[in-house]
Structures are given as structure tokens and as C-alpha cells.
Amino acid sequence: LGNGQSFSPSHSDSYPSVVTIADNVHMQNAMRATLGIESWKLVYGYSMGAMQALHWGALYPEKVERISAVCGGVLAGNINKVFLQSLRHMVFASKGWDMSSGRFIGSEEERVRCMRAFARIYAGWGMSEEFYGTAEFLDEGFQSLEDFAVNSYEAGFANGNVNNLMAQIETWRSSNIADSFNGNLTHALGSISAPVVWMPCTSDKYFISTEIERHCKQLQRGHFRPIQSSWGHRAGDPWRESQAAQLDHIRANVKDLLGM
């Protein structure tokens, strides 16, 4: 919820101030029960989807047989929150933000400016220093750094809704699996009984692989399978032709998980 088609601020002024990852999983479980599905053979998620997959394992361990979490963690770490706060405060500084209602009410021109700024912040965090330092964007067919920022990032946010994105940020930055276990992260991680294949990217600046490795060791059946790549967070979304190695890594490890 928040930045999707089911229920978002763009659909209703009554959208809650915060909808958590746990809230999403509880609603998904209600849908599962309504559909008459006994359990999931596999819960797979990328990014915030990975957060949900791991929450599934902790909140409903008897309903999940396997979990694959790609480029996502069990909480928003401090460095992640710095990134998310930069997005929020950029919107707060825009002419279109109304402090009294806590909503963006600006013109279309102001929305476009916000989305361009959103994209530029994402571009700085989404890819690694190595990707930019070695100008890998040129290998992807972009003519320059500016061409990459405009056509790879700005294009992706061109039709974005500011209020929906702000709702997504609130869900993301409030995420902590321990909140459902009286703040006890060890208990939360230990509650996941399903085998978990956890695949962070070694250069991801949102979900840090070393932190994920520490968390993975606290799982009952955790398997740490990092993606070695300079693509940062985008390594977990390997739809581009040049990402064949990342795609192969994910596919091989999911296949391995399905045999567990």
C-alpha cells in the first residue's frame, strides 16, 4: 500500500499517516486465507518486497515454506534513513508542500520539478561508486553521465505521484521487524523457521550486505548468497541485457532454495 494501485494517498485523503511493512503482510495474510491457500511454497521479494518476505517468515512462520530475499533487509538501517530523509526534506522544501495538511498540493510544474529532484537523489544512492567511477553507464549505451541520469532515473519518476512516494518512504523508513516482537530483533529473526536464501548486493547502499550477513547468521536456516556486482541496489532487478550474471546468480540460488 502507499505507492500502488490498491490504496494510496492519490486514491483517498483518509490514507493513514503510516502503513508499516507488518500492516502489508497482515493484509496479505488475510487475502491468503480468503483465497483458501494453506501456505506459500515460496515468498520471494526484492527491495521492500524482500522486507515483506522476511516479515512473512517471522509473523506467519507456519504459512511460509521458503523465503528468498533480494537486496532488502529486516529494517531500515541508519544509512538507509539518511537517504530517505533527504527525499522527504527535498519535498518539504518545495513550493508545493503544505505543512498544515502534510500533503503535496502543488501545480503540475512543481510536481515535475519534485520528481526530477527525487530521481537525482535516487541516482546518487542507487548505483555504486565503482559503477560511476568506471563510467559503466557508457557501456549501457548512455552518452554521458547526464544522459544516464535523465534517461535512466528521471524517466522512471516522470509520472510519479509525490504523495504516494512520500507514503512509500514512511513505510520504508519505519520498517523494523523487531517492532512486532517488543523490540527484540534476536527473537524476531529466530522466529523465522523457513529456509532463507538472502541475496544482498555487495555494493548496495540502501541495504548493507555486511549488516545483512550479521542478521542472516541469527536465522534458524539462513543462507547468505551475496550478489557480487557494481550495480548497487539495481543488481536485484536484473532485467537489463547486461545484467545476465546477476540474473543467473538469482535464478541459480532460487532453484537451490526450491530443492530445500
Side-chain angles (χ1 to χ4, degrees):
L1 299 181
N3 189 26
Q5 296 301 315
S6 54
F7 185 49
S8 299
S10 58
H11 301 135
S12 172
D13 289 340
S14 64
Y15 187 85
S17 57
V18 181
V19 176
T20 67
I21 293 289
D23 291 335
N24 277 275
V25 171
H26 289 316
M27 285 182 279
Q28 291 163 15
N29 185 59
M31 180 190 70
R32 176 204 59 77
T34 300
L35 294 173
I37 298 170
E38 182 58 32
S39 64
W40 303 115
K41 294 293 183 184
L42 168 68
V43 179
Y44 176 100
Y46 160 67
S47 191
M48 291 177 73
M51 292 177 130
Q52 293 183 56
L54 293 158
H55 273 68
W56 258 104
L59 297 172
Y60 298 101
E62 74 284 358
K63 300 301 181 184
V64 180
E65 297 182 27
R66 301 168 187 83
I67 297 168
S68 178
V70 181
C71 292
V74 293
L75 52 81
N78 286 337
I79 190 68
N80 200 181
K81 289 177 180 177
V82 169
F83 158 65
L84 296 171
Q85 287 287 60
S86 69
L87 293 168
R88 293 177 75 239
H89 283 272
M90 177 276 296
V91 175
F92 294 159
S94 71
K95 291 182 179 180
W97 184 255
D98 179 52
M99 292 299 291
S100 61
S101 66
R103 292 178 67 89
F104 182 85
I105 59 172
S107 66
E108 173 61 11
E109 182 182 356
E110 289 163 346
R111 184 200 68 82
V112 170
R113 281 202 297 267
C114 258
M115 288 299 92
R116 285 175 175 165
F118 238 84
R120 293 302 178 119
I121 295 171
Y122 259 91
W125 286 79
M127 311 299 278
S128 74
E129 297 91 334
E130 181 183 348
F131 181 89
Y132 286 119
T134 58
E136 285 187 54
F137 48 84
L138 298 177
D139 298 332
E140 299 303 309
F142 297 97
Q143 300 303 305
S144 64
L145 180 60
E146 181 68 7
D147 184 29
F148 175 73
V150 170
N151 290 297
S152 187
Y153 272 94
E154 284 192 21
F157 284 91
N159 297 315
N161 180 286
V162 179
N163 290 310
N164 289 357
L165 285 163
M166 290 292 274
Q168 177 182 326
I169 289 170
E170 287 304 307
T171 299
W172 188 348
R173 77 188 188 102
S174 68
S175 177
N176 188 335
I177 201 170
D179 289 344
S180 298
F181 294 82
N182 296 315
N184 191 326
L185 181 59
T186 300
H187 183 198
L189 292 170
S191 297
I192 302 175
S193 56
V196 177
V197 169
W198 211 335
M199 291 181 271
C201 177
T202 52
S203 61
D204 195 334
K205 292 189 282 187
Y206 300 152
F207 300 99
I208 309 303
S209 62
T210 51
E211 180 178 57
I212 288 174
E213 184 175 18
R214 289 196 301 272
H215 292 161
C216 191
K217 289 177 180 177
Q218 297 180 64
L219 299 176
Q220 295 183 38
R221 303 169 68 188
H223 303 270
F224 183 69
R225 309 279 178 82
I227 305 169
Q228 303 288 338
S229 172
S230 62
W231 276 67
H233 192 62
R234 280 190 174 183
D237 182 28
W239 59 268
R240 302 161 188 85
E241 202 172 309
S242 58
Q243 291 184 275
Q246 298 151 37
L247 178 60
D248 289 346
H249 177 91
I250 293 170
R251 280 179 169 170
N253 280 285
V254 170
K255 184 178 180 180
D256 184 36
L257 175 61
L258 291 171
M260 295 182 188

